[in-house]
Amino acid sequence: MIPAKASFVSSVAQFTPKTVETESERLKLMFRVRAAIDPELLKRHLKHVLAGRQPTIQLNVDVTRMSQAFIGNSYIQNIVNGEVTAFVEGHRAVATLPVELEVRARFNPNLSSVWFGSVMEVINSITMLSIILTGAALIREREHGTIEHLLAMPLTPFEIMMAKVWAMGLVVVVVATASLVFVVQGVLEVPIEGSIGLFVAGMTLHLFATTSMGIFMGTVACSMPQMGLLMIIVLLPLQMLSGGTTPRESMPELVQNLMLAAPTTHFVALAQAILYRGAGFGIVWLEFLALLAIGGVFFVLALGRFRKTIGSMA
């Protein structure tokens, strides 16, 4: 083990975007450090270095901050290799490339997890609440006998189901929009690049599909505990495989193709395009069309199941 001490700490952050907005963000970044080794110690071991012998350097990394530790580990290896090469060759060679690559992190220059996580939590909550509210409302009405009161009225199953779909969907639209404007954009100060109105329109189509799924699950489940079990089976794949948690490109091709039948896949795609990248309708119209088609299929299936359930109770 060769003792050394830090002789220089750069005041400018390295390996990061050149523009950092706040002091708190700067403190999280990595700074260049130069380690000084006693020259007499180097002279005693100079012949071993010139002979081409490769010593082993032990590097202890504090991984309490995992992301910084893993990134810093690779950077430190590059720094050590560069310093050793410069010492052995007697000069510091600078490779001149014909093209200069300048990397910029778009849409999230400080790589803040809050910017991504807050929006995705709103999106996941929209899916979860819409399915739970519609399914639970139907099950509760069946358990308390109020569904029989509706059957005594001159209402068709289509009208009863549409009332539940738009009522629960309206509640989710109001709450989600308020959360996006006042919490995400206001309190957390996350910049919204695109049109919130266009996002609300896409959310409405998404709710058309998810509330229909809630009605269908409410007709399958006989009680709230069964509804909870169905939610685990349905909700986890919808959220984890839709591209909101991990990129769809990292998933097997079969999973990617299967999840195209899920409304959350298209909703996450259009939400990220609108809110993060400022996309307009001309870019996300395919997602709108897919949500409309998927919602129509789920609505027809849920309506058929609902009619069958109402018919058995009449």
Side-chain angles (χ1 to χ4, degrees):
M1 179 178 297
I2 301 177
K5 64 178 181 179
S7 63
F8 171 78
V9 178
S10 174
S11 60
V12 181
Q14 300 290 314
F15 318 114
T16 58
K18 293 183 178 180
T19 301
V20 183
E21 298 180 358
T22 62
E23 182 179 357
S24 60
E25 291 294 336
R26 288 182 63 89
L27 296 177
K28 300 176 184 178
L29 303 176
M30 182 173 297
F31 293 82
R32 182 164 57 92
V33 178
R34 182 179 298 162
I37 302 176
D38 186 3
E40 296 298 328
L41 185 61
L42 286 177
K43 290 179 181 179
R44 290 200 299 266
H45 297 279
L46 181 59
K47 60 180 181 179
H48 300 294
V49 177
L50 297 177
R53 297 182 181 178
Q54 295 182 347
T56 300
I57 300 177
Q58 177 177 322
L59 177 64
N60 297 322
V61 180
D62 182 4
V63 294
T64 53
R65 291 186 176 183
M66 291 185 62
S67 58
Q68 290 89 345
F70 284 110
I71 296 174
N73 184 26
S74 61
Y75 284 145
I76 292 175
Q77 291 183 39
N78 293 333
I79 293 172
V80 171
N81 292 332
E83 293 295 330
V84 171
T85 302
F87 177 79
V88 173
E89 295 180 355
H91 67 281
R92 190 180 301 275
V94 179
T96 302
L97 299 178
V99 177
E100 181 180 357
L101 180 62
E102 193 72 27
V103 180
R104 290 288 185 268
R106 296 191 62 189
F107 315 117
N108 191 353
N110 288 333
L111 304 179
S112 174
S113 60
V114 176
W115 288 22
F116 178 81
S118 57
V119 174
M120 294 313 304
E121 284 301 323
V122 172
I123 294 175
N124 291 335
S125 298
I126 291 171
T127 303
M128 179 179 64
L129 289 176
S130 58
I131 296 177
I132 291 178
L133 288 177
T134 50
L138 180 60
I139 292 175
R140 285 301 185 188
E141 287 188 351
R142 191 167 64 236
E143 290 178 347
H144 292 284
T146 55
I147 192 70
E148 283 81 1
H149 297 169
L150 296 176
L151 294 177
M153 298 180 180
L155 297 173
T156 63
F158 174 80
E159 294 171 336
I160 297 174
M161 179 175 166
M162 277 300 300
K164 297 185 180 302
V165 167
W166 81 261
M168 298 304 173
L170 181 61
V171 172
V172 177
V173 167
V174 173
V175 174
T177 305
S179 300
L180 185 64
V181 174
F182 296 109
V183 178
V184 176
Q185 196 173 18
V187 178
L188 299 178
E189 299 181 350
V190 177
I192 303 299
E193 299 294 337
S195 170
I196 295 181
L198 184 62
F199 169 74
V200 172
M203 175 171 44
T204 303
L205 289 178
H206 176 63
L207 290 172
F208 175 57
T210 52
T211 50
S212 299
M213 293 175 61
I215 294 292
F216 184 86
M217 294 169 61
T219 59
V220 173
C222 299
S223 62
M224 285 302 298
Q226 290 186 7
M227 181 68 181
L229 293 175
L230 282 176
M231 285 294 300
I232 296 175
I233 299 174
V234 174
L235 192 61
L236 285 180
L238 287 179
Q239 292 186 347
M240 297 182 65
L241 303 178
S242 62
T245 304
T246 57
R248 296 186 68 249
E249 291 77 10
S250 64
M251 303 176 190
E253 186 175 357
L254 177 61
V255 176
Q256 295 184 38
N257 295 331
L258 290 177
M259 288 305 297
L260 289 176
T264 50
T265 301
H266 305 281
F267 181 53
V268 168
L270 73 86
Q272 291 180 348
I274 295 172
L275 299 180
Y276 292 149
R277 299 184 285 273
F281 182 76
I283 296 178
V284 297
W285 68 272
L286 283 176
E287 280 73 21
F288 274 78
L289 186 62
L291 283 175
L292 182 61
I294 295 172
V297 172
F298 280 136
F299 185 84
V300 171
L301 294 176
L303 181 60
R305 179 74 186 182
F306 185 67
R307 281 175 174 169
K308 184 177 180 181
T309 303
I310 294 296
S312 63
M313 297 175 61

